[in-house]
Amino acid sequence: MPRAVVTGGAGFLGSHLCDRLLKEGFEVIALDNLITGSTDNLAHLLDNRKFRFVYYDVTDYLYIDGAVDFIFHLASPASPVDFHTRPIQIMKVNALGTHKALGLARAKNATFFLASTSEVYGDPLIHPQTEDYWGNVNPIGIRGVYDEAKRFAEAMTLAYKRSHEVNVKIVRIFNTYGPRMRLDDGRVVPNFIGQALRGEPITVYGDGSQTRSFCFCTDLIDGFYRLVTSQETGPINIGNPTERTMLEFAKEIKALTNSSSEIVFEPLKTPDDPKQRKPDITKAKSLLGWEPKISLEDGLRETIAYFSGRLTR
Ligand code: UDP
């Protein structure tokens, strides 16, 4: 039975990854310091004998008993709100945490998987974004703490491959949504759905012309799984290429929730808010046979049901 360590295992994506790995017959050890993750996301797994949760800060020395075959490094605050409130933790977990997780991979002769991000492209000047684009990042902007830390993490990951021959995998994750996102995480999906369900104004930042492309969480995890079971290293973009403006998105959420909320405009929270973002997934399709399957409408209905349940609790 393969044994995997998932850092950030109590987070939104980390917990969905734990589910998938257990389903595939893995034994899973989830590590999390719970600054943005929650054990609620793992409550359904705590009785599973193949699963273990360990409260742990992965910026500290990492010790895991016994054999480890895979290390999935997902730990990191990832919401733009966190860029304001947790800039140092973001830099530490992506720099020190990546170093520790790579060291563990080397010591255990395990495959290392890095959850990187479309933010490595910054405010992109080419559209859609292909993996060979080097990006347009402001290192000293508010987003720089995340963008540069993930760029460092990618460089460190490839340094371990080149210097120590660690088997590594890198995905660049584009906007992803689904159950287990935090309602208060400040990102557009929980914000719009929460506001629509509560009948509060739906806050579009800027003029709402900026675009994003949203992938449902289980589709994304399927891309992860295909990458780790392939011969590829990446980086590979995983995301849904169906693009929309934030104003269109606000209207879609309002309609799907049957909400009477009004749509209001507020100033952008960060001046370097990317104006457009859409993955080119040619590589994922041709190298991994992956493409997203869940439509935005189906994914949003499931997410809205999840948030409704949390609001009425
Ligand atoms: N956004 C918005 N209203 C909100 C929250 C976010 O209009 O209440 C916009 C934000 O300015 C950005 C997009 O939605 O252009 C996606 O923001 P998110 O925080 O989800 O993540 P990002 O893709 O910027 O990392």
Side-chain angles (χ1 to χ4, degrees):
M1 184 194 305
R3 198 156 179 253
V5 170
V6 178
T7 77
F12 161 50
L13 292 178
S15 62
H16 284 290
L17 177 62
C18 292
D19 287 346
R20 175 67 187 260
L21 293 174
L22 288 163
K23 218 162 142 190
E24 298 290 344
F26 282 64
E27 183 185 336
V28 177
I29 302 164
L31 309 179
D32 208 298
N33 67 353
L34 303 177
I35 66 167
T36 56
S38 166
T39 46
D40 287 356
N41 294 335
L42 299 173
H44 61 293
L45 299 179
L46 296 177
D47 288 339
N48 187 328
R49 281 190 305 108
K50 290 184 185 165
F51 178 77
R52 185 152 62 98
F53 169 72
V54 183
Y55 175 83
Y56 208 93
D57 182 339
V58 297
T59 61
D60 291 335
Y61 180 78
L62 264 183
Y63 177 77
I64 303 282
D65 214 3
V68 176
D69 304 293
F70 294 89
I71 296 159
F72 292 86
H73 187 38
L74 274 69
S76 176
S79 162
V81 171
D82 302 319
F83 306 165
H84 292 268
T85 56
R86 302 184 171 103
I88 296 169
Q89 287 99 324
I90 290 174
M91 298 211 80
K92 283 177 72 178
V93 75
N94 286 298
L96 308 178
T98 301
H99 182 220
K100 300 286 185 286
L102 278 162
L104 182 67
R106 184 183 177 205
K108 301 284 183 183
N109 202 14
T111 295
F112 176 81
F113 174 98
L114 176 69
S116 185
T117 170
S118 55
E119 283 282 331
V120 299
Y121 302 124
D123 189 1
L125 301 177
I126 68 145
H127 194 72
Q129 291 77 54
T130 45
E131 290 86 348
D132 56 5
Y133 177 50
W134 291 355
N136 176 39
V137 172
N138 173 5
I140 55 168
I142 297 287
R143 285 182 181 250
V145 295
Y146 186 66
D147 302 9
E148 295 294 8
K150 288 288 188 188
R151 289 164 71 97
F152 173 93
E154 287 196 8
M156 184 63 127
T157 299
L158 286 173
Y160 265 69
K161 176 180 170 66
R162 292 178 187 131
S163 299
H164 298 311
E165 289 159 18
V166 174
N167 186 27
V168 303
K169 314 272 174 184
I170 301 175
V171 285
R172 292 185 177 150
I173 303 173
F174 284 65
N175 293 69
T176 304
Y177 70 100
R180 303 186 197 155
M181 288 186 102
R182 285 180 293 136
L183 247 178
D184 63 352
D185 107 347
R187 280 187 272 196
V188 69
V189 173
N191 268 17
F192 283 3
I193 296 178
Q195 291 161 342
L197 291 175
R198 288 188 292 250
E200 294 167 1
I202 300 177
T203 54
V204 171
Y205 299 159
D207 63 5
S209 64
Q210 69 274 37
T211 67
R212 295 292 187 273
S213 315
F214 297 100
C215 186
F216 192 63
C217 51
T218 51
D219 272 340
L220 187 93
I221 299 295
D222 188 51
F224 288 11
Y225 192 73
R226 284 173 188 247
L227 176 60
V228 287
T229 51
S230 76
Q231 298 302 311
E232 302 299 325
T233 293
I236 295 201
N237 291 337
I238 301 283
N240 190 321
T242 317
E243 184 185 13
R244 65 235 318 118
T245 68
M246 290 307 94
L247 183 55
E248 286 164 350
F249 192 51
K251 290 178 183 162
E252 279 175 280
I253 302 262
K254 183 172 147 114
L256 282 173
T257 49
N258 291 318
S259 172
S260 56
S261 291
E262 56 169 335
I263 295 176
V264 298
F265 293 89
E266 288 190 0
L268 286 175
K269 300 286 175 198
T270 58
D272 41 7
D273 192 316
K275 286 177 248 342
Q276 50 183 6
R277 186 184 289 150
K278 167 182 167 162
D280 181 314
I281 58 165
T282 311
K283 264 190 155 183
K285 275 187 186 160
S286 61
L287 300 176
L288 308 178
W290 178 85
E291 63 184 318
K293 297 208 167 54
I294 314 272
S295 71
L296 186 70
E297 182 169 339
D298 287 349
L300 282 176
R301 285 192 191 286
E302 203 171 320
T303 311
I304 289 165
Y306 170 79
F307 283 135
S308 305
R310 301 208 57 104
L311 280 174
T312 49
R313 248 199 234 165

